[in-house]
Amino acid sequence: MNKHLLRMGTVVALLLAVGCSDKDQPYVEKPATDLYTKGYEDLLKNDYKDASLAFDEVERQHPYSEWATRGQLMSAYANYLNGDYDKAINTLDSFIQLHPGYKNIDYAYYLKSISYYDRILAVKRDQRNTYEALNALSAVIKKFPNTKYARDAQFKMDLVYDHLAGKEMDTGRYYMRKRLYLAAINRFQTVIDAYQKTTHVAEALHRLVECYLAVGLKKEAQVVASVLGHNFPGSEWYADSYLLLKGEDLRPEWIKMDQGSWLERLMNVRLY
């Protein structure tokens, strides 16, 4: 029993000694340039996690230096490349708050926007990141309109709008399969009202023709088919709508609608 206690005491003493040894190790400060160079070299080797740690160390050891400011931005970039978007965004939010006048602040906003953009999920999934990306991209365009970042942000915004329109179309087609035509009509109207410059507008108009015919609103179907033919005369969607109306012994034509109605406004707008 005494030997057992002795052995236990020895183990505890060794553990305490190791702990004290680690704790008492002297703090070794390295030049900011060495730490930054280490991070940059890790970045070139695609060791993004190590690169982020090295850039963070620049800020930890030299918090008020120019290298610390650069290191914070580079750490966010390394996290973005590593797919750690949450960490990148958090770092960028802090950077933007602390350094609003930094010479490369436009890049910080842009990097934040593409950190959201690269997380956009398929249209059948939750689109929270899509809306976050849209807001972040819009901020880049608004704050830095004459930069290369704004031009790329505008291109990505167009893709985001197309993605959101695709989400509405997917939901609308689902409602059609369930024969919930009024719910489907609302979705297709949203595409036409909110996403007029996307690739989904022609199909949205055609689906409206289908839905209106399904619920017996033939006059409305004729109007929508006319708008479809006016804006997309050579499209397959107009051909399909034309055949549907022909099957109902109808044809696309302009019909006077109630003033102020959605269809009346639609008749007077060129969509694309």
Side-chain angles (χ1 to χ4, degrees), residues 37-269:
T37 300
K38 168 68 165 56
Y40 187 74
E41 289 174 347
D42 287 337
L43 206 61
L44 294 178
K45 293 185 293 186
N46 300 329
D47 293 334
Y48 304 129
K49 186 174 181 179
D50 288 343
S52 174
L53 292 173
F55 289 128
D56 287 343
E57 192 65 15
V58 177
E59 184 182 12
R60 190 174 78 89
Q61 292 195 17
H62 308 277
Y64 304 109
S65 67
E66 168 64 18
W67 290 104
T69 307
R70 295 185 190 183
Q72 190 178 11
L73 192 54
M74 290 299 290
S75 177
Y77 178 58
N79 285 314
Y80 163 76
L81 292 177
N82 199 40
D84 194 347
Y85 300 120
D86 284 333
K87 191 172 181 181
I89 291 168
N90 289 337
T91 301
L92 289 163
D93 281 338
S94 176
F95 182 90
I96 290 168
Q97 184 176 6
L98 291 172
H99 311 288
Y102 189 64
K103 59 182 179 181
N104 298 125
I105 193 65
D106 53 349
Y107 178 70
Y109 276 91
Y110 173 73
L111 185 57
K112 178 182 174 181
S113 72
I114 61 174
S115 294
Y116 280 119
Y117 179 83
D118 284 2
R119 293 199 305 184
I120 292 176
L121 300 173
V123 293
K124 294 183 182 297
R125 303 284 296 278
D126 178 72
Q127 297 302 305
R128 179 173 51 189
N129 288 329
T130 309
Y131 289 105
E132 293 281 10
L134 195 62
N135 291 334
L137 290 165
S138 180
V140 173
I141 295 168
K142 183 178 180 180
K143 291 178 178 293
F144 313 102
N146 300 316
T147 64
K148 60 181 179 180
Y149 302 124
R151 290 190 292 273
D152 188 65
Q154 183 61 64
F155 172 74
K156 285 181 167 58
M157 273 190 71
D158 292 340
L159 296 178
V160 171
Y161 282 130
D162 204 79
H163 186 84
L164 291 172
K167 174 66 175 179
E168 296 293 334
M169 292 299 301
D170 185 69
T171 305
R173 288 190 292 264
Y174 168 80
Y175 286 139
M176 283 187 70
R177 291 193 295 271
K178 297 294 184 179
R179 298 185 179 182
L180 301 170
Y181 295 112
L182 294 181
I185 287 170
N186 288 333
R187 295 293 181 163
F188 300 136
Q189 285 180 352
T190 297
V191 172
I192 295 163
D193 284 340
Y195 307 113
Q196 291 184 5
K197 295 183 179 181
T198 68
T199 60
H200 299 279
V201 174
E203 183 187 354
L205 288 166
H206 170 67
R207 300 300 180 192
L208 279 176
V209 173
E210 291 183 315
C211 289
Y212 283 135
L213 289 176
V215 297
L217 298 175
K218 295 183 178 181
K219 184 170 68 171
E220 286 79 358
Q222 285 179 288
V223 171
V224 175
S226 295
V227 174
L228 175 55
H230 180 64
N231 287 277
F232 307 95
S235 74
E236 60 179 313
W237 300 114
Y238 178 61
D240 290 346
S241 288
Y242 188 89
L243 289 175
L244 281 176
L245 292 178
K246 187 177 180 181
E248 296 285 337
D249 199 25
L250 301 168
R251 64 184 178 86
E253 61 181 32
W254 297 104
I255 299 173
K256 182 63 178 175
M257 305 301 297
D258 294 334
Q259 187 174 8
S261 70
W262 179 80
L263 283 172
E264 195 271 340
R265 295 197 308 274
L266 184 63
M267 290 170 62
N268 296 311
V269 175

